[in-house]
Amino acid sequence: MALFFQQTLTGVSVGLVYATVAMGLMLLLRAAGVMNFAQGNLLAMGAYLSFLFMEKLQLSSGLLMVILALAVFVAVGCVFCSVCFLPFKHAKWPQAMMICTIGAGTVIQECCLLFITAETRSVRPILAGSLSVGGFVIPYQYFFIFGAMLFMMTGLFFLFEKMYCGRVMSAAAQNKYAADLLGIPTNLTTMVTFCIVVCMVGFSGWLLAPVYRVSASLSNFQARAFASVVIGGFGSLKGAIIGGILVGLIEAYSTYFTTTYKDVVVFGCLLLVLAFCPQGIIPSGTKKEKA
Amino acid sequence: MLQIENLHAWYGAIEALKGIDISVHDGNICCIIGANGAGKTTLLKSVSGMVRHTGTIRWNKEDISKASPMAVNKHGIIHVPEGRLVFPGLTVYENLEVGTISWHGFIGRKPYDEDIRKVFDLFPRLEERRDQQAWSLSGGEQQMLAIGRGLMARPKLLMLDEPSMGLAPLVVEEVFKKIVEINKQGIPILLIEQNARLALEVSDYAYIMEQGRIKFEGVSKELESDERILQAYLGNFKEEA
Ligand SMILES: Nc1ncnc2c1ncn2[C@@H]1O[C@H](COP(=O)(O)OP(=O)(O)O)[C@@H](O)[C@H]1O
Ligand SMILES: [Mg+2]
């Protein structure tokens, strides 16, 4: 029983990370019309940054690290948007943008390997120690991940549901032409979306670093985020969240049976979902989310 | 007053407008009639700064030929696009809110409750659907929402691109009544239409456009009874509409 609780909690926290990465995918898909193939590399970049700040530079103040990281993420977001979105805005071949994100991902990864570290490293957890009640052991880091992800999602919800600028950003994402006609600075809103997504994904990577260690293979999470998006139902943010948590749980529970083949279990489930309900398990009000 | 002189517009190498001169006087409804592909939408897009063009566009003596879409909006020239293009995933209320961007600003805090009140007074049906998402509205309601969203921008000139498109005759009539009502509040309107008969009925002055050029122009009442025009245009358009 204790093991079950432990798996559930770790599953949900890691699932929330997938959910965040998947939400980032959806946000970009809606705002820029591009499936971002650099998402995993951005996640890895966050982890590398945590290694750089915490181990290599030995920065002492948490606040300083967060501010520096924010600055880096926003800068990367702006450059990423300028390179991958703006030049291809009017491209006749929409896949151009997607291919460009693949290239950008490679550049990001190589920069991390070149400038930060080429070896697999571990970093200290932000919250050391673990909670043990009975046979039930959970590192505090998981609670931290849990809290941070909830915080990010609440922030996102607040931005898009409650705030004027979030509404303007959704409008621009839904119809660029109409938004331009209203005088919405659509290039700016798209760039802000890129920055938000890079921050979300980057900090997720940061939080995952102590759990999964810092290496370029963190970018494999991209595939899990895809799985989350597909399982949850392509197109809706809610679906991305639920899909992410599900993928996290499936992965956690599958460790009952196997650790080496847990990817097989996850993507096996993905195939099952695709076979039996290709719309995903959350039937989204398609029309509303599509446009 | 909006004055356009010798306007040419291009899509790549295609010249869609070949020298257009029109003016819209304060308080008037001015309509532009023409078949599909005549260049009516392109004319509005040129004013909004959405397409490459040459020539002069003056708004109250000020040259806005080279103005960006944002700057044009700041002047109070509001373009309600063809096909309504409301934001489908936002509610009616949110669609209206977004309409204020040109004077409210991205992170401004100016109140717009009164503007919303006015739009709801004009279109009570929108108030009934206040929290419904825009994709779930009927065509007529979407058109009203698109016009309402334009009104939220506090227009000094409202440019409507084919507001009757794809609507049932009764709904078209309702929409046109509202357009006249808006005009009575002192907002000049540049109306684009394929439904010539209706457009001539509500407008003060009319231009007839064909293949990127103005073919005829005149006071609407006179054009309405002009045999040549009746024969050449009204018949055709009626069939299409
Ligand atoms: N985005 C575009 N790219 C190329 N040509 C276009 C584009 N939009 C319109 N055109 C052409 O410009 C001409 C005028 O189009 P438009 O202004 O949309 O006409 P209308 O609104 O009167 O139906 C048409 O011949 C059309 O084929
Ligand atoms: Mg048109």
Side-chain angles (χ1 to χ4, degrees), chain A residues 117-155:
Chain A
T117 175
E119 293 158 45
T120 301
R121 301 290 193 141
S122 52
V123 289
R124 282 169 290 135
I126 298 165
L127 284 182
S130 49
L131 176 76
S132 61
V133 186
F136 172 66
V137 184
I138 293 175
Y140 286 128
Q141 178 75 10
Y142 281 102
F143 291 102
F144 193 75
I145 294 178
F146 193 83
M149 292 299 138
L150 280 187
F151 176 76
M152 267 195 239
M153 283 176 197
T154 319

Side-chain angles (χ1 to χ4, degrees), chain B residues 99-181:
Chain B
T100 60
I101 180 80
S102 61
W103 55 269
H104 181 281
F106 204 44
I107 43 179
R109 294 201 164 276
K110 292 176 200 140
Y112 41 73
D113 297 334
E114 254 178 57
D115 299 81
I116 298 225
R117 189 68 258 149
K118 273 194 219 157
V119 171
F120 280 164
D121 285 343
L122 185 65
F123 300 114
R125 268 217 265 169
L126 289 184
E127 187 163 23
E128 288 163 27
R129 309 248 184 285
R130 189 176 182 276
D131 296 315
Q132 223 167 299
Q133 287 192 317
W135 63 267
S136 67
L137 301 181
S138 72
E141 288 160 353
Q142 287 192 13
Q143 186 61 58
M144 292 174 198
L145 180 55
I147 296 176
R149 186 179 65 185
L151 289 175
M152 292 300 290
R154 300 186 175 164
K156 300 199 177 80
L157 170 71
L158 198 56
M159 308 194 292
L160 303 176
D161 198 345
E162 300 200 28
S164 73
M165 194 166 90
L167 301 183
L170 272 180
V171 184
V172 172
E173 215 157 283
E174 190 181 346
V175 169
F176 270 68
K177 267 198 201 116
K178 301 295 182 183
I179 293 174
V180 173
E181 215 169 299

Side-chain angles (χ1 to χ4, degrees), chain B residues 6 54 87 136 154 200 202 204 208 229 232:
Chain B
N6 193 25
T54 62
F87 300 115
S136 67
R154 300 186 175 164
L200 287 178
V202 300
D204 300 292
I208 292 177
I229 288 169

Side-chain angles (χ1 to χ4, degrees), chain A residues 164 167 171 174 181 183 288 291, chain B residues 70 73 89 97 100-101 133 135:
Chain A
Y164 183 86
R167 206 150 301 151
Q174 288 172 26
L181 282 183
K288 84 176 179 192
Chain B
M70 237 179 289
N73 270 280
E97 269 183 314
T100 60
I101 180 80
Q133 287 192 317
W135 63 267

Side-chain angles (χ1 to χ4, degrees), chain B residues 11 14 16 35-43 45 82 161-162 194:
Chain B
Y11 293 102
I14 304 166
N36 250 333
K40 309 179 297 295
T41 301
T42 308
L43 173 62
K45 274 162 87 174
E82 183 175 1
D161 198 345
E162 300 200 28
Q194 287 198 42

Side-chain angles (χ1 to χ4, degrees), chain A residues 190-212:
Chain A
T190 312
M191 194 171 271
V192 171
T193 310
F194 269 89
C195 291
I196 290 176
V197 169
V198 174
C199 287
M200 272 167 50
V201 175
F203 278 118
S204 308
W206 186 300
L207 295 176
L208 280 183
V211 181
Y212 286 89

